[in-house]
Amino acid sequence: MVEEVQKKLESELNLFKQCQKEYQKTLNSRQLLSAQLNENESVQKELELMKDGGGEVYKLIGPILVKQELEEAKQNIKKRIDYISAELKRHDDTIATLDTKQDGHRENLTKLQQQFQQEQVAKMRG
Amino acid sequence: MSVSQSGGEGMQQIDLTKLAFPQLTQLKNQLDSELGVVQDSLQTLKRAQVKFQDSKESLDKITPSSQGNPIMVPLTDSMYVEGKIADADKVIVDIGTGFYVEKSIPDAQDYFKRRVAFVTLQMEKLQFIGTEKMKIREAIIEVMEMKLQALQAQKKAAASVASSSS
């Protein structure tokens, strides 16, 4: 009986650890995305401040600077912000589901641990 | 006997005295790692602030009269070629995500001023969050010590009861 509970406990622990790993991974990429969003938003603000014909806009492509129309640059930035926002939302959803999943595992673990201890006591007595 | 200590950041209020010891430890560890992140971020922001400030100050050295002045252009870290300032009115500024914008000197100075102000604002916000977290951490430690003392007193009492009854 004790062995059975122990086995269950171990498998549950593995599941929990896996869940934790995934959670951390998602959280890291979420952080990266939010940093990118911040940067893109500040670039957008900067481009909005530019007057038409008031200086050129260049885009760094590999090692060279390519001249770009202000309107085009604005559109590109907007597209990128939309994309990053969507990705961010997707990550948030994943994090929320992983959160509940983790809580479930944690609950199971405490239950199994209690059960394990009870079984051990019962075995010692018996 | 318990002082109700509420540790929360506006979103939730928890009575720390009601938490079990392992939970308190977990909470403290969490706060410790959060504080580490705050400190790291502050340092990064500080570096960015210095960078923007330096860029702004170096603009002061470019005046219309420096047009045509000879400069040494670094090709590598250890090799330079001689050049001339062709256009002392305009500079090209990196505004992030690979975008570079041509700006007049005053406009560029404005840009760096804005960036420095922005970074400073973020630093202030972060500093505030940091001190808040510090306060909560201290409260947790206080409650932990209280619990430990209570536990020890309990043990002592139990021991004295046991010794007097036997």
Side-chain angles (χ1 to χ4, degrees):
Chain A
M1 239 343 235
V2 180
E3 285 78 14
E4 207 178 296
V5 178
Q6 194 170 13
K7 231 175 235 162
K8 262 197 216 160
L9 196 67
E10 270 166 19
S11 73
E12 187 68 26
L13 196 67
N14 273 335
L15 279 175
F16 177 65
K17 273 186 185 156
Q18 218 179 329
C19 200
Q20 243 177 348
K21 223 188 246 169
E22 216 175 313
Y23 181 82
Q24 203 54 50
K25 222 175 80 189
T26 324
L27 206 66
N28 282 345
S29 53
R30 203 214 98 101
Q31 253 165 12
L32 216 67
L33 278 172
S34 110
Q36 279 174 350
L37 184 67
N38 270 335
E39 195 181 351
N40 276 292
E41 273 173 348
S42 74
V43 172
Q44 190 182 36
K45 234 185 270 167
E46 215 39 62
L47 287 178
E48 289 301 330
L49 281 169
M50 299 253 317
K51 291 161 240 120
D52 278 323
E56 305 288 348
V57 180
Y58 298 87
K59 177 88 182 84
L60 186 71
I61 302 171
I64 48 167
L65 287 175
V66 181
K67 206 184 266 185
Q68 211 171 39
E69 290 299 318
L70 181 57
E71 230 10 83
E72 198 187 335
K74 276 182 186 169
Q75 268 165 18
N76 281 346
I77 280 288
K78 201 182 163 317
K79 252 185 247 157
R80 230 144 82 187
I81 286 177
D82 287 347
Y83 172 73
I84 294 171
S85 303
E87 275 295 284
L88 213 57
K89 207 188 157 303
R90 202 172 62 80
H91 275 70
D92 276 342
D93 290 346
T94 319
I95 284 173
T97 33
L98 280 174
D99 231 0
T100 42
K101 213 167 140 192
Q102 228 178 7
D103 279 345
H105 281 314
R106 204 174 280 145
E107 225 167 89
N108 281 346
L109 269 178
T110 10
K111 259 186 219 154
L112 279 170
Q113 229 159 14
Q114 274 166 2
Q115 210 182 337
F116 180 66
Q117 274 165 359
Q118 274 164 9
E119 293 287 346
Q120 246 181 348
V121 170
K123 197 185 180 190
M124 288 226 292
R125 281 203 185 125
Chain B
M1 64 143 248
S2 66
V3 191
S4 127
Q5 225 120 22
S6 48
E9 322 168 45
M11 45 189 246
Q12 68 192 134
Q13 291 242 321
I14 312 159
D15 189 356
L16 287 179
T17 51
K18 285 208 178 81
L19 291 180
F21 208 78
Q23 281 175 307
L24 283 172
T25 320
Q26 204 191 342
L27 208 59
K28 187 182 158 284
N29 286 342
Q30 198 189 326
L31 273 171
D32 278 342
S33 66
E34 278 173 13
L35 273 169
V37 173
V38 169
Q39 288 303 329
D40 281 353
S41 309
L42 267 176
Q43 256 163 27
T44 314
L45 281 172
K46 180 84 206 153
R47 270 200 295 278
Q49 196 189 31
V50 169
K51 217 178 75 188
F52 286 131
Q53 196 67 43
D54 282 353
S55 299
K56 186 176 160 289
E57 274 161 21
S58 64
L59 280 175
D60 294 338
K61 297 192 185 82
I62 307 179
T63 55
S65 65
S66 50
Q67 178 117 12
N69 277 7
I71 48 166
M72 301 303 276
V73 185
L75 287 187
T76 68
D77 283 345
S78 54
M79 197 175 79
Y80 298 80
V81 287
E82 206 178 295
K84 269 192 186 114
I85 296 179
D87 189 349
D89 302 322
K90 284 190 176 111
V91 286
I92 291 173
V93 184
D94 179 0
I95 58 168
T97 65
F99 280 103
Y100 287 71
V101 166
E102 200 179 53
K103 280 181 182 300
S104 67
I105 302 278
D107 276 356
Q109 274 170 334
D110 268 356
Y111 168 76
F112 287 122
K113 228 183 263 169
R114 273 204 300 279
R115 293 270 80 189
V116 170
F118 175 76
V119 172
T120 313
L121 186 74
Q122 298 304 314
M123 279 174 84
E124 276 165 11
K125 276 189 201 161
L126 212 56
Q127 200 91 51
F128 179 73
I129 293 171
T131 39
E132 283 296 290
K133 286 199 189 300
M134 268 310 219
K135 272 188 212 153
I136 298 168
R137 187 178 170 275
E138 271 163 30
I140 289 172
I141 289 174
E142 211 174 299
V143 174
M144 277 170 93
E145 273 170 4
M146 230 160 62
K147 292 224 167 199
L148 254 162
Q149 273 170 8
L151 206 69
Q152 272 168 351
Q154 233 173 31
K155 260 190 197 163
K156 229 186 224 167
S160 71
V161 167
S163 64
S164 66
S165 67
S166 64

